[in-house]
Amino acid sequence: MRHLRTVFIAFFAFVFVLTASNLTDVLANALYDGTVYTSKRIPYVIKSQSSFLYGIKAELIVQETEAYLAALHHPVFNSTLDEYVQGAIEEVLNRVEVEALQHYKGLPQSRLMLYGDYELFSYSEDIISIKFDITISGSLPTRRHIVTLTLDMVGETLLLTDNLFANHFIDLNHYVFTPEHLVCYTLAENGYDVNEEKIKLSELVGMVNFRVLNRAPAPRSTSNSPKIALTFDDGPHPEYTQHILKELKKRNAVGTFFVLGERVQTEPRIVRRMVKEGHEIGNHTWNHPNLRLLSAIEVAEQLSRTTAAIKEVTGVNPRVMRPPFGFYGEHVKEASELPIILWSIDPKDWDNQDPEFIVENIVGKARNGDIILLHDIYSSTAQAVGPLVDKLTAKGFEFVTVSELLGLYDYPASALTGKVLNKK
Ligand code: ZN
């Protein structure tokens, strides 16, 4: 590509700072000429960045050759994701250049003008889609290109259509994900109008590979053995939780820890260890209030504060919550963005602080799909975990996280919001 001049211009709020003075006039036209090169959508983009994708910077790339002039906004992540964005931009510019050279007749009027803006969408905090909307005009009828990318912000990878959709689903090229929809774009025959089709994600279970969008860990087991989920509430405890983690690791078993935000703050290393060793972290509120006695706003605050603490310490967002004492009401269901996980076996380890009793009580009842309620703040529970895992293993059980047991990774997160679940 002939880069006669490439200028990067960061834009601050709505103000463009143009650094190449001889380009100013051309650009002013390109950016502000009423009909084709409208800049009206720019404030919208800035707004979406600061609202739910705070911190993603935008840049304007301006490229001028004898055959075309391009001005294209794009996001900057300051990570390897920028390579995917740059790749998409290069592809567009290459295509435009080929076209431009075919139509260029040596006169400035026959130059092609390209103006591109973008919008950001997010399926979750971790997965975002970029939609480039590119208008090309000049000597040819004005037309558009839509280019979309879906990126995993945590894994810093581009998510490919082949991996996002089940085989032979639809011939999709241009789409973005929002928390509740797949939005597909197709260009009308006139080459300019863009048709937008919104499909509810909840209708696409089995067709969209939600495990990819949910950043699910590789499944631990693909066997048909009965599965069980051990859950540990109220920790992390500086001593007992570590002991439990050691016992689980020895036996290659995983569990789900419903942690308290205030304890995450004091024991961040233990929570990081949980994630590192393959356990799931659930939200058990900040400081264990009875949520029935709180307002919806207070419930939401208990949960969001804890989620933020978990995210800060581990880099992972919890996907499940458990209300203290199992107490919830309609306002909790409405306030919780996460599914509400109860249990199916309660050995009352807080009351019966006898390891042997706890083990026998659970082993006698355990069936495929059970969720076991335990508390990692008692010495007796910590002592029970090793023998418990041994006995259940001997009976053929495999240990999985709650999200894996209940198949939550196969659904869009928005479809699980406020759902109460207690057994597979
Ligand atoms: Zn609790």
Side-chain angles (χ1 to χ4, degrees), residues 22 52 88 98 107 131 139 150 175 178 241 253 276 300 310 313 321 412:
N22 56 332
F52 65 104
V98 169
L107 299 165
K131 176 196 164 206
S139 52
T150 294
Y175 55 84
T178 73
T241 306
K276 202 173 143 221
I310 294 169
V313 163
M321 78 82 105

Side-chain angles (χ1 to χ4, degrees), residues 233-235 258 260 284-285 288 322-326 373-375 377:
D233 290 11
D234 299 358
F258 287 96
L260 294 175
H284 197 44
T285 73
H288 215 267
R322 175 174 283 161
F325 320 102
L373 173 63
L374 291 162
H375 297 83
I377 51 167

Side-chain angles (χ1 to χ4, degrees), residues 9-11 45-46 49 56-60 73-76 118:
I9 303 161
F11 61 92
V45 171
I46 287 167
Q49 282 166 354
I56 297 179
K57 207 172 76 177
E59 276 184 355
L60 172 65
H73 295 279
H74 64 94
V76 179
Y118 73 93

